[in-house]
Amino acid sequence: MKCVSEMIYLDNNATTMPLPKVVEAMAANLRDGYANPSSVHQFGQSVRHSIECAREQVASLIGAKPREIVFTSGGTESINLAIRGALALHPERRRIVTTSVEHSAVLRLVENLEGEGYTVERVGVDSQGRIDESHWSKALTDDTALATMIHANNETGVVFDVARLADVAVKCGAVVHVDAVQSVGKIPIDVSKAAAQLVSLSAHKFHGPKGIGALYVRRRTRITPLIVGGNQESLLRGGTEHVAGIVGMGVAAEAARCDEVCVDIGRLRDAFEEGVLAAVPFAHVNGCDAQRICNTSNIGFEGISAEAILILLSEAGICASAGAACSSGSLEPSHVLTAMGIDERIAHGAIRFSLSRFTTRQEIERVVETLPKLLARLTVLS
Ligand code: PLP
C-alpha cells in the first residue's frame, strides 16, 4: 500500500479526513478533560461545558437551537432513533413513506418495520435520480405516520428539495425525517426555515471523527429513546457521552459552513468530469442533469466491471468506491442506479469519485490522465 501522503483520496462520501484542529481538540479533551460530565465537581462541570459548546456549534451549522441537538453514535443511530422514536408515539398510524434511493441505514430499517406490520410506500426517481414529486404527494395519506427521505444521495450526489417534500408530508400530519448525512457542509441547511422535525447528521462526513453524530429534534416534537439508562441528552440517549467525539464534531461543524470551499470543490468536480468524458467515450455521468452536491461524481464505464476498475485504481494509489454493493462475491448494481433505470452495463461499471476540500487540481489532473490508461488495459482484457 502507498503511504497516505502519496494516495489520491476520492472516497470522501465514505468518510473524510478529520481536520487537524479536530484531532488536536479531541486529543486535548482525552488528555485533560476526562472527568464525567455528569459529575457535580468543577472538573466534571468543565467537561459538561465542552459538550454544551459543541452542541451550540452543531446547532449553529444547521440553524437549530442547541437544545434541539441530541448527540448519538453517528448517522445510523440518529436515523434509527428518529424513525423508531417517532413511530413509537403514533401507534395508530401504520404507514411509512420513503424513497427508493435511501442509504442502507433507512432502507434496512424500513424493511424491518415492514416485517413488523407497517405498510411502506417507496417513491421512485427518474433517470437523473430526481424524485417523482406527484407520486410523493399521492403517497402521503392521512394515515401516514412518518415520511423519511435522503437529502443528498450518497452514491450520485443528487439533491432532493426536502423543504418542499417535507411541507407536503407535514400537512398530512406525518412526522418528517431527513437524512442529511451527505448534505451537511456541502449545501446550506437551515432547519428553522423547513418543516422537517427530525434531521440526521454524522460528523465523519464533514471532517469530524467517526462514531459520533447528532439528531436534530425540532422543539415540541416527541420521540422515544432507543437507548435508556442515565439522564443524558435530555433522556433521549442514555449513557456517558463520547465527549472527545462530541468536541471533535463541534470543531468540525464550525469549520463546515458552506462557502467558497464548496464552489472550488464543484469546479474541480466539473473539470474532472469534463476530462474523463473527453478521454473515455464509453463513460456516462449518472445524475448529471439533476442538482447535485459539489463533490460527487458517479461515472458508469459501460461494459467494464467496477470491481476491476477499483482494483487498478487502488494499485495506482487512487481511492474511490463502486456504485454497487458486493453481495456473495458478485457485484450487484446498486439499488440507486437500478431505481434510476440505468442500463445494467453502465451500472455494473459505476464508480463513485467523491472530492473534498483537500482534493487538489494536480490530483484531479493525475486521475484524468491515469484513468483512461487503466480502462484501456481492461478493455483489451475484456
Ligand atoms: N446516511 C447516508 C446518506 C450516508 O451516506 C451514511 C454513511 O455513509 C449514513 C446515513 C450512515 O452514517 P454513519 O456512517 O455515521 O452511521
Side-chain angles (χ1 to χ4, degrees):
M1 195 186 96
K2 286 192 190 277
C3 74
V4 174
S5 62
E6 285 174 11
M7 283 189 304
I8 299 181
Y9 187 75
L10 298 182
D11 199 15
N12 289 282
N13 284 12
T15 198
T16 56
M17 183 180 103
L19 294 172
K21 57 183 167 184
V22 166
V23 177
E24 280 156 28
M26 291 178 72
N29 170 267
L30 286 169
R31 198 180 44 238
D32 307 323
Y34 56 82
N36 190 317
S38 297
S39 296
V40 292
H41 46 70
Q42 280 185 358
F43 190 14
Q45 288 313 294
S46 74
V47 177
R48 160 76 39 219
H49 180 68
S50 314
I51 293 181
E52 297 317 317
C53 287
R55 202 184 304 282
E56 276 174 31
Q57 289 165 314
V58 172
S60 142
L61 177 64
I62 59 166
K65 305 214 167 54
R67 61 176 176 276
E68 294 174 316
I69 299 296
V70 177
F71 288 113
T72 66
S73 68
T76 303
E77 188 190 322
S78 295
I79 288 165
N80 277 264
L81 172 61
I83 296 180
R84 284 211 178 268
L87 289 175
L89 288 176
H90 299 276
E92 69 298 348
R93 292 185 176 216
R94 305 290 292 172
R95 183 178 166 81
I96 298 167
V97 176
T98 186
T99 83
S100 51
V101 293
E102 296 299 309
H103 182 269
S104 54
V106 170
L107 203 73
R108 294 276 138 72
L109 175 57
V110 296
E111 274 169 20
N112 286 356
L113 289 163
E114 224 166 6
E116 293 167 29
Y118 282 90
T119 306
V120 178
E121 179 84 16
R122 295 171 181 84
V123 177
V125 294
D126 69 8
S127 63
Q128 296 298 321
R130 293 174 292 225
I131 195 163
D132 178 345
E133 290 199 18
S134 84
H135 184 182
W136 178 263
S137 302
K138 281 189 209 121
L140 285 152
T141 50
D142 288 346
D143 59 344
T144 305
L146 178 106
T148 178
M149 72 202 106
I150 192 162
H151 190 191
N153 193 275
N154 47 300
E155 290 188 28
T156 59
V158 172
V159 176
F160 287 162
D161 185 343
V162 286
R164 203 158 63 217
L165 299 172
D167 268 349
V168 183
V170 163
K171 280 185 191 130
C172 295
V175 179
V176 179
H177 166 252
V178 175
D179 172 359
V181 167
Q182 289 291 349
S183 54
V184 173
K186 296 172 192 155
I187 38 181
I189 296 180
D190 187 349
V191 290
S192 71
K193 296 210 173 89
Q197 297 101 332
L198 301 163
V199 179
S200 292
L201 326 176
S202 177
H204 72 103
K205 307 291 185 178
F206 55 91
H207 303 289
K210 294 167 191 61
I212 186 76
L215 179 67
Y216 159 76
V217 183
R218 183 182 291 276
R219 210 168 139 238
R220 298 206 196 90
T221 302
R222 288 179 50 239
I223 58 169
T224 58
L226 281 185
I227 301 172
V228 292
N231 292 343
Q232 293 88 353
E233 297 303 295
S234 310
L235 289 165
L236 282 177
R237 212 261 183 181
T240 302
E241 297 88 340
H242 173 18
V243 185
I246 291 173
V247 166
M249 184 172 189
V251 174
E254 201 164 72
R257 287 164 213 290
C258 316
D259 45 24
E260 317 84 61
V261 173
C262 294
V263 177
D264 292 345
I265 298 172
R267 283 205 192 102
L268 271 188
R269 190 271 312 269
D270 294 347
F272 169 67
E273 289 183 348
E274 269 169 40
V276 173
L277 289 176
V280 185
F282 50 90
H284 305 260
V285 178
N286 296 313
C288 61
D289 292 337
Q291 192 203 335
R292 288 180 295 162
I293 41 175
C294 57
N295 77 322
T296 308
S297 183
N298 185 306
I299 308 188
F301 298 98
E302 190 170 352
I304 306 194
S305 123
E307 202 175 15
I309 303 171
L310 280 184
I311 291 169
L312 291 194
L313 281 172
S314 172
E315 279 173 7
I318 301 167
C319 306
S321 275
C326 196
S327 68
S328 55
S330 68
L331 271 179
E332 295 293 330
S334 90
H335 69 283
V336 174
L337 299 183
T338 304
M340 290 163 71
I342 302 291
D343 186 298
E344 255 195 47
R345 280 172 53 80
I346 298 173
H348 269 290
I351 304 288
R352 178 189 70 187
F353 301 92
S354 44
L355 289 61
S356 82
R357 63 176 69 192
F358 296 112
T359 309
T360 64
R361 188 158 288 276
Q362 290 76 6
E363 287 179 327
I364 289 299
E365 283 167 2
R366 244 180 70 202
V367 179
V368 169
E369 197 188 301
T370 311
L371 186 60
K373 293 181 196 155
L374 303 183
L375 293 169
R377 276 167 63 191
L378 294 172
T379 29
V380 168
L381 286 177
S382 65

